[in-house]
Amino acid sequence: MLSNELSIFALGGINEIGKNMYVLQYDDDILVIDCGGKFPDESLLGIDLIIPDLTYLEENREKIRGLLITHGHEDHIGGIPYFLKKLNVPIYATRFTLGLIELKLTEHRLIADSELITIDADSKLTFGEISVSFFKVNHSIPDCLGIVFDTPEGRVVHTGDFKFDLTPVNDQHSDIHRMAEIGREGVLVLLSESTNAERPGSTPTELKVGNSIDEAFFKAKRKVFVSTFASNISRVQQVVDAAMKTNRKLALLGRSMVNVVDVAVERGYINLPDGMLIDAKEVNNLAPEKVCILCTGSQGEPMAALARLSNASYRDVQILPEDTVILAAGPIPGNEKNVSRIIDNLFQLGAVVLYGGSATGMHVSGHGYQEELKLMLTLMKPRFFIPIHGEYRMLHQHKLLAASVGVDPENTFIIQNGDVVDVQNSEARQTRKVPSGDTYVDGIGVGDVGDIILRDRKQLSEDGMVVIVVTLSKRDQKIISGPDTITRGFVFNRDSEELLRETNRLVKKSILDLQSENKYQWNAMKREIKKAVGQYLFAQTKRKPMIVPFIIEV
C-alpha cells in the first residue's frame, strides 16, 4: 500500500449472504466494519459456523484502531468472539447491539478482557487522520447505524443494512435529512447493501405484519405458536401486543429467544407487562386459548425449538390439532428445504399453519427494495460506488440501479472478497488483492478443519470406510494374523462375505508381492493395499470407500 492512499476491501459479505466484514485503511490506520458469521450448507459436514479469514488483519494487527458494528444481526456480529481471541481491539456499537455482543462474549468468557464502547447516531470518533460519524437507518432490529468516514482523500459512507419504513413500529426512523446533508457535502465512495436489489418497488411497512398477527390471534381457537428471528424486536413486540389484546400468557422457547428478549426488556426495547411471561412448564396448566408461545427455528434449524416441536420431541410443550403456528419470517436463501420439511410436519400434527412471509402478511423484509436503494444512491450522490452484502446477481443489479440514477457505470466496482479498491488523488482503481476466504468453526476448533478433512468427511458420508488390519512378525516380516477387514457405512459384513474374503486375499497378495521384491516399508505396503483394494471394490460395487490399512508388528 502506498502512503497517503485510501484502501477499501471486504473480507466477507461479497458474493454471499452472511459473514459481513469490511475494512477501510488510510496509511497506518485500519478500521474494521462488522464481523459476521455464516451458517454452513449441507456440503460442509460437521461445520458449525463460517467466519472471515483474518490473515491480513493479523499481519497488520498494530494498525487496527477499532471494530465498528452497524447492528446486531448474526451475519454482522457472529464472528466477534473468534475475532477477539486473535485481535483484541476496541468494539464500538450501539446500546442494544452491545447487549447482544455481551451475551456472546460472556459465553466465550471474553467479557472481562474486552473493551466495549457505546455509540449512537450523534457520536463522533477520530482515529489518526480518519474522522468517523454516524446516521440512523431503519432495519429489522433496533439501533442500526450507517457510518461516515472522513479521510484526507474524501468521504466514504457505509450504509449498514437498511430500508426506508416511514411508519416503523419501533419509532426508529431513518434520518433522511442527515443522509441528504452527507450527500450535499460530497461522498467519494459509497458502500451500500444489495440484498433486495432484484425486487422492484419498496418494502412494505412493518405495521402490516402487526395487523396480520392481530387477526391471526383473534381467529385462533387454541394455542398460538409464533416463530421469528429472536433479534427482530419489533416483531417480538407485535406478538406481545397481540397476546395482550387476546388475554394470553407468553412463553419463550429457545435459548437465543430467551437471551435476546432478556436484553431487550432490560434495556427498554420491549414493553412486556408484569405477569405475562410464564415458564414453558406452565403451558399445559392453562387453557389452550390463553397461551402464546414465541420460539426460535423460523429458518428450519434442526435443533431449534420449532423443529423439535414439529416432530413432537420438545419435552414441555406439544403442538396439538387446531393449534395455530405462525412463521413470521421469510427463509434465508438456502434454508427453503428445511423450512418446507417443518411446515409439512406441522400440517401432519393437525396445526393451522400460516407461512409464506409477505403472501400471508406475516413477514416483511428488513432490507430495502429497488426504489429504496435508488433513494439512498440519490441522497448520497457518490462519485464511486461499491455494492456490498449480496450474491453476484444482486451486486450486478445494484450496479444497474446506480447507473439509472446517474452513477457512471465505470465508477462502480463489483468486487470479490479480498479485492482492494485503492483511492488516491480522487481516482479509484482495483488492481490488487489481500488474503481472504472462509475459516471454519467446528466445535471448539477454529480454522483447524480444511479442504482435506472436509473431503474425507464427504467420502465417509457417501461411501463409508474399510479398515484393514494385518499383523506382521517383527523378526521376519511374515504375516502372523489377518488380514481382517472391517467396514462401516460401506457394506453389511454378513451379506458380503465373498467380497471381504477376496479383499483379504488381495491384501495378502499385495504384501507378499512387495516382500518378494524386498520391499518392507510400511508406506509402500499401505499404498499398494489401498490401490489394489480400491480398484477391486470399485469394480465390484461402483463405490469408493475410504480405505485405512493398519500394519502392526509384534
Side-chain angles (χ1 to χ4, degrees):
M1 176 177 171
L2 300 173
S3 60
N4 300 321
E5 184 176 56
L6 173 65
S7 298
I8 303 164
F9 53 93
L11 294 177
I14 304 290
N15 287 329
E16 60 187 347
I17 300 293
K19 193 168 126 296
N20 289 283
M21 176 180 274
Y22 308 94
V23 181
L24 183 141
Q25 180 171 1
Y26 185 81
D27 277 1
D28 290 333
D29 296 315
I30 293 177
L31 293 173
V32 184
I33 307 157
D34 292 338
C35 181
K38 181 172 77 169
F39 293 112
D41 59 29
E42 293 175 352
S43 68
L44 297 175
L45 299 166
I47 300 302
D48 300 316
L49 186 69
I50 307 168
I51 59 175
D53 182 345
L54 302 177
T55 300
Y56 180 83
L57 297 179
E58 290 183 77
E59 291 172 351
N60 294 273
R61 63 175 64 240
E62 73 285 349
K63 300 178 182 178
I64 303 174
R65 304 296 171 239
L67 173 60
L68 307 172
I69 306 299
T70 58
H71 65 286
H73 277 147
E74 281 296 309
D75 57 334
H76 296 260
I77 67 170
I80 288 178
Y82 310 99
F83 179 96
L84 287 186
K85 287 174 185 176
K86 294 186 175 184
L87 300 160
N88 194 355
V89 303
I91 297 177
Y92 299 83
T94 55
R95 188 164 165 266
F96 181 71
T97 305
L98 277 184
L100 301 182
I101 293 171
E102 286 170 8
L103 286 175
K104 293 183 173 297
L105 299 186
T106 301
E107 184 180 338
H108 285 261
R109 299 180 181 175
L110 296 170
I111 192 74
D113 299 321
S114 302
E115 186 179 356
L116 306 178
I117 300 163
T118 305
I119 56 174
D120 58 30
D122 298 321
S123 298
K124 297 188 186 304
L125 309 170
T126 302
F127 305 94
E129 295 188 77
I130 305 173
S131 298
V132 180
S133 56
F134 305 90
F135 57 95
K136 289 182 185 177
V137 293
N138 178 260
H139 186 40
S140 55
I141 189 172
D143 284 6
C144 300
L145 296 176
I147 309 177
V148 181
F149 302 89
D150 284 305
T151 77
E153 275 295 331
R155 174 170 284 176
V156 179
V157 175
H158 184 295
T159 65
D161 289 5
F162 72 92
K163 64 176 180 178
F164 288 101
D165 189 342
L166 301 182
T167 53
V169 295
N170 59 8
D171 290 327
Q172 295 200 352
H173 295 79
S174 299
D175 193 345
I176 298 175
H177 299 291
R178 170 77 177 124
M179 296 179 202
E181 180 185 350
I182 293 166
R184 275 196 305 272
E185 292 169 355
V187 174
L188 180 67
V189 184
L190 175 67
L191 289 77
S192 183
E193 70 129 323
S194 310
T195 312
N196 277 336
E198 299 171 288
R199 303 178 76 167
S202 298
T203 319
T205 176
E206 183 72 24
L207 282 177
K208 176 183 175 185
V209 177
N211 294 334
S212 299
I213 289 175
D214 284 352
E215 183 180 347
F217 269 65
F218 280 111
K219 286 183 178 178
K221 298 177 182 177
R222 291 176 49 86
K223 297 193 297 291
V224 177
F225 294 79
V226 183
S227 183
T228 190
F229 292 108
S231 59
N232 194 336
I233 298 304
S234 299
R235 197 72 47 82
V236 172
Q237 183 66 63
Q238 289 170 322
V239 172
V240 170
D241 293 344
M244 200 162 27
K245 292 172 186 173
T246 54
N247 197 25
R248 292 174 183 265
K249 299 290 188 180
L250 178 67
L252 305 177
L253 303 185
R255 188 178 63 163
S256 64
M257 184 65 74
V258 172
N259 289 342
V260 172
V261 170
D262 280 349
V263 170
V265 171
E266 176 197 335
R267 302 193 176 208
Y269 292 88
I270 288 181
N271 176 27
L272 189 64
D274 291 340
M276 172 177 271
L277 205 58
I278 61 171
D279 188 86
K281 294 177 181 176
E282 300 177 58
V283 166
N284 293 327
N285 298 333
L286 297 172
E289 66 274 12
K290 297 296 182 183
V291 178
C292 166
I293 295 98
L294 186 58
C295 63
T296 57
S298 64
Q299 297 305 303
E301 305 95 314
M303 295 308 295
L306 184 63
R308 290 156 61 200
L309 287 165
S310 75
N311 57 34
S313 63
Y314 203 95
R315 186 174 54 192
D316 299 315
V317 183
Q318 296 80 40
I319 294 177
L320 299 174
E322 293 194 317
D323 284 347
T324 298
V325 182
I326 300 170
L327 271 71
I332 293 171
N335 292 345
E336 294 89 352
K337 188 186 296 184
N338 289 341
V339 174
S340 295
R341 188 180 303 122
I342 285 175
I343 292 170
D344 284 345
N345 291 345
L346 293 170
F347 275 120
Q348 288 179 25
L349 292 173
V352 177
V353 189
L354 302 175
Y355 65 100
S358 56
T360 56
M362 294 300 177
H363 176 66
V364 297
S365 178
H367 302 270
Y369 290 10
Q370 289 182 353
E371 295 307 310
E372 292 154 279
L373 299 181
K374 288 193 287 186
L375 176 56
M376 180 65 79
L377 285 157
T378 302
L379 290 168
M380 294 296 174
K381 299 190 285 290
R383 177 168 181 181
F384 298 105
F385 176 48
I386 304 174
I388 59 170
H389 197 310
E391 296 169 353
Y392 187 87
R393 67 187 185 279
M394 303 168 187
L395 307 179
H396 176 74
Q397 186 62 46
H398 206 171
K399 177 180 180 177
L400 299 180
L401 295 176
S404 73
V405 295
V407 178
D408 186 342
E410 293 189 1
N411 286 355
T412 295
F413 294 87
I414 296 183
I415 58 175
Q416 308 279 343
N417 289 329
D419 288 351
V420 182
V421 176
D422 292 310
V423 184
Q424 192 170 42
N425 299 324
S426 297
E427 291 302 323
R429 63 191 182 283
Q430 196 286 300
T431 57
R432 65 187 183 95
K433 294 179 70 72
V434 298
S436 66
D438 293 338
T439 298
Y440 300 127
V441 178
D442 184 1
I444 62 172
V446 181
D448 56 351
V449 174
D451 292 339
I452 293 174
I453 292 176
L454 288 172
R455 186 187 66 202
D456 287 349
R457 289 180 180 180
K458 188 170 188 295
Q459 186 178 7
L460 286 167
S461 72
E462 291 177 348
D463 293 321
M465 71 184 297
V466 173
V467 178
I468 299 164
V469 182
V470 184
T471 304
L472 301 180
S473 167
K474 189 178 287 188
R475 187 177 62 190
D476 56 16
Q477 293 294 300
K478 289 186 177 178
I479 297 174
I480 296 175
S481 70
D484 295 313
T485 299
I486 305 157
T487 72
R488 289 292 182 270
F490 173 55
V491 293
F492 186 53
N493 290 12
R494 243 181 282 168
D495 296 340
S496 308
E497 291 179 0
E498 182 57 38
L499 183 78
L500 299 182
R501 266 198 300 271
E502 180 61 19
T503 299
N504 291 338
R505 190 192 69 78
L506 283 171
V507 173
K508 192 171 185 179
K509 180 177 183 301
S510 299
I511 293 172
L512 294 175
D513 287 348
L514 286 171
Q515 290 178 345
S516 68
E517 299 172 14
N518 293 319
K519 294 179 179 176
Y520 296 98
Q521 297 90 348
W522 283 13
N523 286 343
M525 287 185 184
K526 288 180 178 179
R527 193 164 51 245
E528 194 60 33
I529 289 169
K530 289 169 80 170
K531 179 181 176 184
V533 172
Q535 289 175 346
Y536 169 70
L537 293 180
F538 183 74
Q540 296 298 312
T541 66
K542 293 298 182 285
R543 301 180 207 161
K544 292 183 178 180
M546 178 180 287
I547 299 167
V548 184
F550 282 100
I551 299 174
I552 304 167
E553 282 188 347
V554 294

